[in-house]
Amino acid sequence: MRKIAFITGATSGFGTACARKFHGAGWNVVLTGRREDRLSALAEELGSRRVHTACFDVRDREAVFSAVEQLPDDFREVDVLVNNAGLALGLEPAHRCDDADWDTMVDTNIKGILHCTRAVLPGMVARKSGHVINLGSIAGNWPYPGGNVYGATKAFVQQFSRNLRCDLHGTGVRVTNIEPGLAESEFSVVRFGGDAQKAAKVYEGTTPLTPHDIAESIWWVASLPAHVNINALEIMPTCQSWSALSVHKE
């Protein structure tokens, strides 16, 4: 039987690249996202019966569970869950932030992963096989000005992934947290409210990671032998490293 990958946020960036990678390797893929037109276009591009699409928002718990419960037989026994759906909004300091942006990041980056994992995980445990791959960020490890809630949500993803490993001890189900650094996709366009010019300035003069790079990394951890678990994989482009600690002087 073909293996099955369930990919959230498949309508752009890392999710689209993962869809192409897993499908190209012969897997059945379940592609989810909020934008029906993009899901349809991606399914048409892949052009195969090995694609199932489900349009929903990961923030909607009932929609997530309904989509998983209604999976066709050829897509039901998920081998790899790629919890990719997520976003950053704004770079304002905490005292000037938009409260609604904070709510959206918490609901998507935290609750979305919880909903999808809770819906898919029991089947993996019952089969004693599976892999939950969460998309974290270096922002979960290293703070930066304006990262406030976004970084905190990714720190949650890191700790949730670690605790899942403990809960799943002895079940045969693997858990990995992928932690990308500077990567060019729709990430900055979304962060800056659709301002493409402002987003482009983030990457000027750099060679950032690409969605293809991250999809290759996800494919690598997923394709290792079943007894090998990559707990976390932090990835930066060579143009990025750590900065010195900031010291304010009067």
Side-chain angles (χ1 to χ4, degrees):
M1 294 181 65
R2 294 185 185 275
K3 289 191 172 183
I4 301 163
F6 188 109
I7 303 166
T8 70
T11 54
S12 66
F14 302 159
T16 298
C18 284
R20 291 169 177 153
K21 182 65 182 180
F22 280 86
H23 184 270
W27 287 45
N28 286 3
V29 291
V30 179
L31 309 180
T32 83
R34 293 177 298 144
R35 293 171 284 192
E36 182 70 58
D37 57 336
R38 290 200 179 192
L39 284 176
S40 298
L42 182 56
E44 184 176 351
E45 173 198 324
L46 299 177
S48 169
R49 294 180 180 176
R50 292 186 287 107
V51 178
H52 174 75
T53 62
C55 186
F56 60 81
D57 190 326
V58 295
R59 294 177 293 177
D60 186 338
R61 184 182 187 278
E62 291 186 7
V64 171
F65 275 72
S66 177
V68 171
E69 290 168 0
Q70 295 178 39
L71 287 173
D73 290 343
D74 289 345
F75 299 88
R76 184 171 295 278
E77 297 187 353
V78 175
D79 295 283
V80 171
L81 168 62
V82 181
N83 274 321
N84 166 71
L87 77 170
L89 294 172
L91 264 179
E92 292 294 318
H95 55 287
R96 293 203 303 266
C97 73
D98 184 331
D99 291 351
D101 286 349
W102 279 13
D103 288 341
T104 299
M105 286 187 281
V106 168
D107 289 345
T108 305
N109 300 354
I110 294 179
K111 293 181 182 179
I113 279 186
L114 296 181
H115 298 158
C116 294
T117 302
R118 187 65 182 85
V120 172
L121 192 58
M124 291 182 173
V125 173
R127 295 187 295 276
K128 298 186 182 299
S129 176
H131 197 163
V132 178
I133 301 178
N134 295 325
L135 263 295
S137 169
I138 65 168
N141 302 326
W142 315 107
Y144 60 86
N148 43 70
V149 166
Y150 174 71
T153 65
K154 293 304 183 178
F156 172 90
V157 173
Q158 179 189 81
Q159 195 63 18
F160 180 58
S161 300
R162 290 172 174 173
N163 280 281
L164 276 180
R165 285 276 288 133
C166 294
D167 286 349
L168 297 170
H169 181 74
T171 66
V173 179
R174 300 186 287 178
V175 182
T176 300
N177 187 30
I178 302 290
E179 302 168 349
L182 184 69
E184 187 170 13
S185 60
E186 289 188 3
F187 177 84
S188 290
V189 175
V190 172
R191 163 166 264 172
F192 297 127
D195 188 334
Q197 287 187 333
K198 190 173 182 179
K201 290 184 182 300
V202 174
Y203 308 104
E204 282 183 357
T206 72
T207 304
L209 300 171
T210 68
H212 173 77
D213 296 329
I214 302 306
E216 288 291 332
S217 301
I218 291 170
W219 170 253
W220 175 68
V221 301
S223 60
L224 289 170
H227 70 284
V228 179
N229 191 95
I230 303 300
N231 296 329
L233 186 62
E234 183 179 276
I235 312 162
M236 290 183 184
T238 55
C239 66
Q240 184 180 38
S241 63
W242 301 278
S243 182
L245 290 175
S246 179
V247 178
H248 176 69
K249 295 183 179 181
E250 297 291 347

